[in-house]
Amino acid sequence: MKPRPARLAPAAAALLAGCNRVQSALAPAGDQAAAIERVWDLMLWICVPMYVLVLAALGWALVRRRARGHTAEGDRRAAMGLTAFVVLVAGLLTVLTASSYIADRHLHAAVTDPVNVRITAMQWWWQVEYLDPDPSKQFTTANELHLPVDRPARIELRSSDVIHSLWIPVLNGKEDLIPGRTNTIVMTPRKTGTYRGQCAEFCGLQHANMALDVQIDDAAAFTAWKAHQRAPAPPPSTPAALAGLHEFTATACAMCHTIDGTDAGGITGPNLTHLASRRTLAAGALPLNRGTLTAWIAAPQVHKPGTNMPAVPLRPRQLEDIVDYLMTLQ
Ligand code: CUA
């Protein structure tokens, strides 16, 4: 496929995501999304025939509108037909209400031994913290959510600025992230794979560029990923990377970003400890590679107008070294 201009990427990505089932509520990959899809299916199979029935009745009435006179027998049949229709509608509405109630019970069922995650929404990215009773086992990443298959995840949702909404259609419905309040959502993935989540509440200029890369792993792969993410950043292995680390901590970069194991400890922007292990950049706005990372640091406002990431004045050599260093952060 030919590369698309950066400005078209979010819309195109969202469209394609719907088609290839990485972001489709009709292709559930978890228990809660499956419960929602069953209600959707039932509504479809009830409402489409009802719609056809109502239109057929309307058509019949229009055709017969000029038929003159009415008989007692005709009136009796019309009354019976209407009564039957009212009973049918009431019965079907009861079925829909019951199915909605049952799905709601599925969404809020108690879970045991969940993976505990806290997601904080910011304009316009996701901070993802893996919680643990042992603080030394906690770690923070950004714009990606890894979960193990066949184990529930309990996700705390917070916001640091405006109202956002987390929507991972293959796993569950939408849940708002509200400043000053903690919401909780449970997701129990059942299929491994790569999926996509998206902010579903208009939250400003770059609302569309607020995607979450979702990876469902088997238990062993998830444990390995977690162990890797907990480790501090690997030390620079080349002179350029070493120079890059120095530039990073000596310039404004370190005021906003943390790289565990270095002096960079800013908390305004995403934690970059294992940046190079991620698939996307700037909350899904760009794929992550050397070229996009260089372009992003050089001119964030070009790729994501309105972003809080400033263009740090860097000489070309400094920029190159910093990118060299960041690309070693596997
Ligand atoms: Cu965050 Cu829309």
Side-chain angles (χ1 to χ4, degrees), residues 228-234 260-261 273-274:
H228 182 74
Q229 295 290 317
R230 265 186 211 137
D260 294 334
T273 307
H274 294 285

Side-chain angles (χ1 to χ4, degrees), residues 14 27 41 46 57 101 114 117-118 152 247 258 320 327:
D41 281 347
I46 288 179
Y101 177 80
V117 183
R118 178 189 298 141
E247 300 291 0
T258 291
E320 219 171 284
M327 289 307 286

Side-chain angles (χ1 to χ4, degrees), residues 3-4 61 68 70 75-76 102 132 164 220 225 296 302 307 325:
R4 290 159 195 276
R68 293 201 176 272
H70 49 89
D75 285 353
R76 197 182 63 83
I102 292 167
D132 197 289
H164 304 261
W225 178 82
W296 169 246
V302 169
T307 177
Y325 172 61

Side-chain angles (χ1 to χ4, degrees), residues 30-48:
D31 288 353
Q32 293 76 15
I36 294 171
E37 199 224 0
R38 285 195 291 275
V39 178
W40 195 93
D41 281 347
L42 190 66
M43 288 192 87
L44 179 75
W45 291 115
I46 288 179
C47 294
V48 169

